Amino acid sequence: MAATNKMCELCTAFTDDIVHLDFLNERWLTKRDEVGVPGQFSYGYWGEDAPWYTFKHAAVEEMSRSAKADCNLCWLMLDSWKHDLDEDIKQEDVKKLQTWIEVLWRPLQLTSSFKLFIRSKVPFVAFEFFSLDDKIVTPADLSLRRALSVSATDENRFKLAVDWLTSCLIQHEPCERQYYPKLPTRVIDVGLEGDSKNPFLFVSNGETGMYVTLSHCWGKGERLVTLEKNLKEHQESLPLAEMPQTFKDAIEISRKIGMRYLWIDCYCIVQDSYNDWEAEAARMAEIYENAVFCLSAIDGQDSFAPMFYERLQTWQQRPVTLTNVRNADAPFHIGVRPKTDSVQDIIKASVLNERAWGLQERLLSPAVLHFSESYMFWECCSTVRSEADHYAEDHTEKIRPGLRQQWKAASPSAPVDLGLLWTELVKNYTARSLTYDKDKLPAILGLAKRFEEQMGDTFLAGLWKLDLHRQLLWHPISLICGDVYEPLKRPTEHFAPSWSWASVKGPIYYDWADEYPKVLRIPNTQHDCNFLQASVTASVPGGPCHGIIKLRGQIKEVRYQRLPGRMVEPGAGYIKSKTPDSTPYRPDNTSFNNMYLNLVTHANLSPEAQARALTQIPYLGGAFGRPAPKTHEIAALMDFNWEQTRECWCLRVTDWTQTGNGGQPLAYPHHLTYCLLLERVDTEDKQVLATSNDDLGTFRRIGVAADEPSTVEDFFRQERMSFLTLI
């Protein structure tokens, strides 16, 4: 291998062996702890069949001299590393620090990345190799990443996007879509590429055609939107010069790719017309599903952010270019750059991933073309393609591979648990932000409609009627402010019944759905409460609603005791009978500990904070040397930060047994009984008034409890079945 730009002797030795897959020469065969002089390689293992090879480079001072001379690789590594420099390191100490390069080797593949370490306390800096030639010479070259164009508006980017779209339309069966669906009520006619005239708002009147949608963050600030007073004006012209940058770029992309119609919510919905917003919100699912694809301004803080980000980086000022001469007739050129994030990492860290509306926009669309600060990438129901890679990435999420693909996979022999899939959606959705609390249900209504069609079930304010035994068992997660919990509150206005997660402002968690995600769960109906009636009334679909659930089950008056300690989740505690129990106590209570430990684990606390939190546990069943309690107590979690103690009611909901696939028994199954914590409500509503002595009246949900079945069985042993109503 030769470098088109001159490199120092050490960088030449390192890159020459990497590019030629030469890990068998004598420099690489030294064990890691025997490395001595700079320029020497060693090896070690990280997991199974994953050898890490280490190359001892020069000290920082020597690398600095080399970088100032003519070695662009030394300059690139030091320039990238200096941003992570600890402030407490003195400049004279830095110069003496030793540098190490580590690389993970996979047989028969070009190594696509390597890491630079400068003393163990400083975070490493990762770099990657990428191909500078369009043509792939050998299969090993596929592990190299693709070169990124300097210009964000390079024509090759749009050609690549067209290639992805064409491949999806022709080859991807899971991504099938209508070629000429019915257009939304209004779309933006962007014209053709090269048009100088302004786009305009086109009223479809039932016409068909191909169109794309835009998913973006509104943000703050004044912007041009469609109102009743300017609707006719916008049907004549939408002034391009007055549009925020996101919309300008979306129109340019549509023209470049050859899509004449574009749907943007703030233009295609009359913003000051409640009736129009209500009608269009009800059609949101079909709007995104019938689009050819969705444009995603994934990193835009608001609609004034660009979709085309500046591509010229510092490292491109002194590029590192290597030439592989393994084939004299076809030399292969390779570049080096700081490592770019993966597609999944970009999605998780993106601004749009924090927006609640963005979830259904992304999941309902047959495909999404994302424009991030790092690079452009394509995501459909079949694959993920990136302009930074030659190869297709596999989906790693549980949800995104396309809901239609999940639904098609369902069959009597291989059922798909759509109720479990819905809980995954809810956990993802409720962790996102909403500008208006009233949008809690409307922003997921499109997805709910598609689930409703597939499940043959009834949507009840975020829950499913035929799956209430599981769907009711949610609980909110208190937010973490530093190492201290921040208590949650209900929204000041009423938007949903207390038994719905939509009545809570904040992220939701399903303990039963997360602990054993790879197995099916079946209820033990012997002690389940019996749901007699469940209904929701709302003035508009997805709007604020009232709901009731009438049921018959075992219910008991209890006293709640909150756990002490500032590091304990505000609602975490336990419940016990208001009156002394006459039934014998069985000292096998361990689920309280498991539930509490789960809370600590899922709270994203630092290790130090977790250790402090564990000291607050009043008992751990003897596992940590503490005695088990001598009274019947059940682990409980209040929905909100209630006082230290309070009286409430406990409703036994269902027993759950862990089973294997197809309902096969496991050698060590997990059993748990779930309950709801309730408070009594005085009401004059005839629909929910008590009708008999067995009817205890009306209750509101305030929390959840769970424990071992034997403990709960003893707890409820003397309680008879009663009727009650939840609101």
Side-chain angles (χ1 to χ4, degrees):
M1 178 198 66
T4 56
N5 47 280
K6 191 175 179 182
M7 290 196 300
C8 68
E9 183 178 351
L10 291 176
C11 287
T12 299
F14 165 67
T15 55
D16 187 68
D17 287 342
I18 290 291
V19 176
H20 284 85
L21 306 178
D22 185 4
F23 293 94
L24 300 179
N25 66 60
E26 61 182 10
R27 292 198 304 270
W28 288 92
L29 298 181
T30 305
K31 291 186 177 180
R32 181 172 296 179
D33 55 2
E34 297 177 358
V35 170
V37 298
Q40 190 171 14
F41 292 79
S42 65
Y43 70 92
Y45 284 86
W46 184 270
E48 296 181 2
D49 301 323
W52 277 98
Y53 289 94
T54 304
F55 175 75
K56 188 174 184 180
H57 209 289
V60 172
E61 187 175 23
E62 181 61 31
M63 287 187 73
S64 299
R65 283 197 293 265
S66 177
K68 290 178 181 178
D70 50 17
C71 182
N72 283 4
L73 184 53
C74 282
W75 177 87
L76 170 64
M77 291 190 289
L78 288 179
D79 181 71
S80 301
W81 170 76
K82 69 181 181 182
H83 299 293
D84 295 317
L85 186 63
D86 285 352
E87 294 182 0
D88 61 335
I89 300 179
K90 296 181 180 180
Q91 187 63 34
E92 56 268 23
D93 294 332
V94 172
K95 295 179 181 180
K96 300 175 183 179
L97 294 177
Q98 179 63 52
T99 64
W100 300 81
I101 297 175
E102 287 197 351
V103 59
L104 178 65
W105 178 65
R106 296 179 178 87
L108 304 180
Q109 289 187 15
L110 273 173
T111 302
S112 58
S113 63
F114 63 92
K115 300 174 182 177
L116 173 71
F117 292 85
I118 302 180
R119 91 167 193 171
S120 59
K121 294 183 180 180
V122 178
F124 65 81
V125 181
F127 303 88
E128 61 190 10
F129 294 105
F130 63 95
S131 60
L132 291 170
D133 299 328
D134 293 333
K135 185 178 180 181
I136 299 299
V137 179
T138 70
D141 300 336
L142 283 173
S143 61
L144 292 172
R145 305 203 78 178
R146 187 197 298 265
L148 297 172
S149 57
V150 175
S151 172
T153 56
D154 191 302
E155 291 296 327
N156 288 327
R157 300 187 78 200
F158 301 110
K159 291 179 181 178
L160 188 60
V162 171
D163 289 343
W164 292 337
L165 172 60
T166 303
S167 176
C168 183
L169 290 173
I170 297 175
Q171 300 176 6
H172 296 169
E173 182 180 351
C175 306
E176 63 180 358
R177 49 173 74 74
Q178 297 183 53
Y179 281 100
Y180 289 94
K182 185 178 178 180
L183 290 171
T185 305
R186 305 176 194 89
V187 288
I188 301 171
D189 189 329
V190 303
L192 304 175
E193 183 180 1
D195 275 356
S196 57
K197 64 180 182 180
N198 284 326
F200 64 91
L201 203 57
F202 174 67
V203 181
S204 65
N205 291 320
E207 291 189 30
T208 61
M210 301 178 73
Y211 67 96
V212 296
T213 56
L214 175 67
S215 182
H216 67 101
C217 287
W218 275 56
K220 299 179 180 179
E222 297 293 328
R223 63 182 59 76
L224 179 69
V225 298
T226 296
L227 305 171
E228 288 185 329
K229 66 179 182 181
N230 63 16
L231 177 57
K232 290 185 178 180
E233 181 182 335
H234 284 184
Q235 292 174 15
E236 297 293 331
S237 174
L238 280 167
L240 197 59
E242 298 180 22
M243 289 185 181
Q245 192 61 47
T246 300
F247 303 159
K248 291 179 182 178
D249 291 346
I251 288 173
E252 181 178 354
I253 295 168
S254 299
R255 288 174 172 175
K256 293 279 188 182
I257 296 179
M259 289 292 160
R260 182 171 179 175
Y261 298 120
L262 171 66
W263 189 90
I264 302 178
D265 50 7
C266 63
Y267 291 149
C268 299
I269 300 176
V270 182
Q271 297 300 308
D272 59 351
S273 170
Y274 183 79
N275 291 336
D276 192 67
W277 190 92
E278 174 189 328
E280 295 305 306
R283 301 188 186 103
M284 204 66 70
E286 61 186 72
I287 288 175
Y288 281 92
E289 279 189 324
N290 291 337
V292 180
F293 64 90
C294 175
L295 285 172
S296 167
I298 193 170
D299 286 328
Q301 295 282 351
D302 52 41
S303 54
F304 297 94
M307 295 182 70
F308 302 131
Y309 291 91
E310 179 60 45
R311 306 299 291 273
L312 183 61
Q313 303 295 324
T314 304
W315 62 269
Q316 291 174 315
Q317 299 173 13
R318 290 182 62 174
V320 177
T321 306
L322 315 173
T323 302
N324 188 339
V325 294
R326 60 193 167 199
N327 185 341
D329 297 328
F332 192 59
H333 301 90
I334 299 171
V336 183
R337 67 190 179 204
K339 188 172 178 59
T340 52
D341 291 332
S342 68
V343 165
Q344 298 302 334
D345 288 339
I346 290 175
I347 291 175
K348 290 178 181 178
S350 68
V351 175
L352 202 55
N353 199 50
E354 299 175 359
R355 176 176 171 263
W357 283 96
L359 180 65
Q360 70 173 8
E361 293 169 1
R362 176 176 169 228
L363 296 185
L364 288 173
S365 302
V368 185
L369 181 61
H370 299 272
F371 284 82
S372 73
E373 290 188 22
S374 301
Y375 49 77
M376 173 186 73
F377 59 96
W378 172 271
E379 183 187 24
C380 65
C381 298
S382 301
T383 188
V384 175
R385 299 302 304 270
S386 157
E387 67 172 324
D389 294 290
H390 292 288
Y391 53 86
E393 289 192 22
D394 293 328
H395 284 288
T396 59
E397 294 181 312
K398 298 178 182 178
I399 302 171
R400 174 52 204 164
L403 294 176
R404 286 172 293 180
Q405 190 173 0
Q406 293 273 351
W407 293 335
K408 287 182 179 181
S411 66
S413 59
V416 174
D417 190 342
L418 294 179
L420 180 60
L421 182 61
W422 177 258
T423 64
E424 294 292 337
L425 281 170
V426 170
K427 288 189 291 184
N428 187 316
Y429 173 74
T430 55
R432 297 167 177 244
S433 61
L434 278 167
T435 304
Y436 304 105
D437 291 337
K438 64 180 179 63
D439 290 342
K440 192 67 173 278
L441 287 174
I444 201 173
L445 189 60
L447 280 169
K449 286 185 175 181
R450 294 301 173 256
F451 268 80
E452 198 167 39
E453 293 172 0
Q454 188 66 24
M455 296 172 71
D457 203 346
T458 302
F459 186 64
L460 298 174
L463 282 60
W464 296 102
K465 187 174 183 178
L466 299 180
D467 195 26
L468 284 176
H469 284 101
R470 294 193 303 179
Q471 298 290 319
L472 283 168
L473 305 177
W474 54 267
H475 65 78
I477 302 175
S478 294
L479 303 176
I480 304 296
C481 183
D483 277 349
V484 180
Y485 283 102
E486 183 177 295
L488 294 177
K489 298 179 180 179
R490 289 193 190 275
T492 54
E493 299 180 55
H494 175 89
F495 297 112
S498 67
W499 41 264
S500 166
W501 52 259
S503 67
V504 175
K505 188 175 183 178
I508 294 302
Y509 178 65
Y510 284 90
D511 181 71
W512 63 266
D514 201 59
E515 189 174 1
Y516 297 98
K518 295 182 180 180
V519 298
L520 300 175
R521 292 160 187 79
I522 57 175
N524 177 352
T525 58
Q526 181 179 358
H527 301 291
D528 285 356
C529 61
N530 184 15
F531 296 108
L532 307 174
Q533 177 187 344
S535 61
V536 168
T537 56
S539 57
V540 296
C545 60
H546 295 270
I548 64 169
I549 297 177
K550 292 188 175 184
L551 58 89
R552 184 172 181 265
Q554 285 184 299
I555 187 170
K556 180 175 184 174
E557 283 192 90
V558 297
R559 179 175 286 109
Y560 163 78
Q561 176 67 51
R562 180 183 168 187
L563 290 175
R566 72 181 187 90
M567 282 310 305
V568 178
E569 176 129 358
Y574 55 92
I575 56 173
K576 56 185 178 181
S577 300
K578 286 183 61 178
T579 57
D581 292 325
S582 60
T583 54
Y585 172 71
R586 300 182 184 182
D588 59 356
N589 186 353
T590 59
S591 65
F592 176 93
N593 313 320
N594 294 335
M595 188 175 184
Y596 182 77
L597 290 170
N598 278 342
L599 291 174
V600 173
T601 303
H602 288 88
N604 294 323
L605 298 177
S606 64
E608 296 79 9
Q610 288 190 23
R612 291 199 300 273
L614 291 176
T615 64
Q616 306 295 336
I617 302 178
Y619 65 86
L620 284 171
F624 286 76
R626 301 190 182 194
K630 299 303 181 183
T631 60
H632 290 96
E633 296 174 357
I634 295 179
L637 185 65
M638 286 288 183
D639 290 344
F640 302 98
N641 185 19
W642 296 95
E643 57 270 22
Q644 290 293 330
T645 62
R646 68 163 295 166
E647 294 181 359
C648 57
W649 296 73
C650 181
L651 171 68
R652 184 174 184 174
V653 178
T654 189
D655 297 345
W656 287 93
T657 302
Q658 178 195 8
T659 63
N661 292 329
Q664 297 298 318
L666 298 177
Y668 302 99
H670 185 74
H671 307 281
L672 208 60
T673 299
Y674 283 92
C675 308
L676 290 183
L677 300 183
L678 311 173
E679 66 176 355
R680 209 164 198 166
V681 179
D682 293 328
T683 179
E684 297 181 358
D685 189 342
K686 294 181 180 180
Q687 189 179 14
V688 296
L689 284 175
T691 57
S692 69
N693 292 333
D694 289 334
D695 192 334
L696 298 182
T698 306
F699 294 81
R700 180 185 294 116
R701 176 202 154 113
I702 59 173
V704 66
D707 222 307
E708 299 291 339
S710 59
T711 299
V712 178
E713 178 69 25
D714 288 340
F715 194 73
F716 282 94
R717 188 178 299 278
Q718 297 179 349
E719 305 304 322
R720 58 189 174 86
M721 301 290 281
S722 301
F723 295 93
L724 63 142
T725 301
L726 301 182
I727 62 171

